[in-house]
Amino acid sequence: MKVILTGATGFIGNEVLRQLLQNPKISLITVITRRPLPDELGSPKIRQVICKEELEWLEWGPSMMRWVDGSEACIWCIGGLPKSSPSTAAYITTTTSLPLSAARAFSPLATLERKFRFLYLSTYHADVTESKWRPFEKESAYLNGRTERALFELTKNHPLQVQYELYTFRPGSVLDWMGQVSGNGFCGKVGRLWVPTVPVRVLAKAMVDVAINGYSEPGISIFFEHKEILAKGYEAEQREIEEKNQGGAAAAEQRKPERSRLKAMVKR
């Protein structure tokens, strides 16, 4: 399976990339990025497409689209909070304009023969109505909600509606491998006091699993709230452990005849 990934140099996107690399079902990861990945992430499964100019992200011309041909999913991990953006305009571009432009450009990848899944990493407090009271990060809540609404309209109006699947993830504060909330995470480190947490590996596991397998419930757009992310992530993690154990047991059974032959030779 071929997958598109953005935000691979970020905190969450980097973990998604790590798990995609480890998954045997993934044959190619097209990483679209502004800056090259670290050398240690070099892998034949990775194809880097460097896009330094904002216009490249907004227009998606033929020279860009040729790199994503045949892809079956896009995991969109570009994001952040207003405080990490140089201006309001830049934040709007990053949070709304870029993912919408990509989702429109990728729509032809959904065909009668093959589905395409667009996974959008949103935020815990996103508000599609842009009207609910928010005591903190109101700008982020409304803007992410606006993006979610626009993505929903895009997939709803797709000519092959059931073939273009949209999945939105709304995690709370994301924990790193040390169990700490990133300073750039939801409301920073203080956010852990009132916002539920999810380990980054579990969030990434949930997104990778949905990118590969989709979701059992039909619908134009599926929202994964915080609790659902935890459930899906831990479920995928447990399934992966069971598959590895089964694979190990099967390999052991295959080796039994060879062990018996060696034992017979030793007795002689």
Side-chain angles (χ1 to χ4, degrees), residues 118-184:
F118 192 91
L119 284 70
Y120 175 64
L121 181 61
S122 186
T123 186
Y124 176 74
H125 62 327
D127 175 20
V128 294
T129 68
E130 298 186 59
S131 62
K132 295 178 182 178
W133 180 75
R134 291 287 185 264
F136 45 81
E137 302 295 356
K138 180 179 177 180
E139 184 180 5
S140 175
Y142 285 8
L143 195 56
N144 275 279
R146 190 184 309 167
T147 305
E148 291 180 4
R149 190 171 66 246
L151 287 170
F152 171 78
E153 291 297 325
L154 188 153
T155 51
K156 185 183 74 171
N157 296 322
H158 192 277
L160 300 174
Q161 188 183 89
V162 295
Q163 296 295 90
Y164 197 145
E165 298 177 350
L166 170 65
Y167 298 95
T168 301
F169 289 76
R170 295 173 168 177
S173 292
V174 182
L175 305 178
D176 62 21
W177 282 87
M178 301 298 292
Q180 300 297 314
V181 175
S182 169
N184 291 324

Side-chain angles (χ1 to χ4, degrees), residues 1 20 22 26 37 75 95 121 124 147 155 163 168 173 175 185 187 200 223 232:
M1 180 180 184
L20 286 171
Q22 292 179 346
I26 302 299
L37 297 174
I75 305 179
T95 307
L121 181 61
Y124 176 74
T147 305
T155 51
Q163 296 295 90
T168 301
S173 292
L175 305 178
C187 295
V200 66
F223 288 88
K232 172 57 70 176

Side-chain angles (χ1 to χ4, degrees), residues 2-201:
K2 298 178 180 180
V3 176
I4 305 163
L5 175 64
T6 67
T9 57
F11 169 49
I12 296 172
N14 187 258
E15 176 61 19
V16 171
L17 175 60
R18 189 186 70 83
Q19 296 199 24
L20 286 171
L21 285 170
Q22 292 179 346
N23 197 302
K25 294 179 181 178
I26 302 299
S27 59
L28 179 66
I29 310 158
T30 301
V31 177
I32 304 173
T33 178
R34 283 194 174 96
R35 60 182 187 272
L37 297 174
D39 292 339
E40 60 265 24
L41 287 175
S43 165
K45 288 175 69 170
I46 294 178
R47 176 168 60 193
Q48 294 189 61
V49 181
I50 310 297
C51 299
K52 295 182 179 180
E53 301 299 325
E54 187 176 283
L55 195 61
E56 294 178 284
W57 290 85
L58 293 172
E59 291 191 348
W60 293 94
S63 61
M64 282 280 286
M65 289 302 297
R66 67 189 177 95
W67 297 113
V68 300
D69 186 49
S71 297
E72 296 178 61
C74 172
I75 305 179
W76 192 272
C77 292
I78 295 176
L81 295 171
K83 65 182 181 182
S84 60
S85 296
S87 66
T88 299
Y91 182 64
I92 292 173
T93 297
T94 300
T95 307
T96 302
S97 303
L98 297 189
L100 282 177
S101 296
R104 290 192 195 98
F106 297 159
S107 62
L109 296 175
T111 65
L112 287 171
E113 296 77 25
R114 185 177 62 226
K115 288 187 175 184
F116 185 79
R117 301 180 178 116
F118 192 91
L119 284 70
Y120 175 64
L121 181 61
S122 186
T123 186
Y124 176 74
H125 62 327
D127 175 20
V128 294
T129 68
E130 298 186 59
S131 62
K132 295 178 182 178
W133 180 75
R134 291 287 185 264
F136 45 81
E137 302 295 356
K138 180 179 177 180
E139 184 180 5
S140 175
Y142 285 8
L143 195 56
N144 275 279
R146 190 184 309 167
T147 305
E148 291 180 4
R149 190 171 66 246
L151 287 170
F152 171 78
E153 291 297 325
L154 188 153
T155 51
K156 185 183 74 171
N157 296 322
H158 192 277
L160 300 174
Q161 188 183 89
V162 295
Q163 296 295 90
Y164 197 145
E165 298 177 350
L166 170 65
Y167 298 95
T168 301
F169 289 76
R170 295 173 168 177
S173 292
V174 182
L175 305 178
D176 62 21
W177 282 87
M178 301 298 292
Q180 300 297 314
V181 175
S182 169
N184 291 324
F186 181 76
C187 295
K189 295 180 179 179
V190 181
R192 189 171 182 176
L193 298 175
W194 64 80
V195 177
T197 59
V198 55
V200 66
R201 81 170 197 286

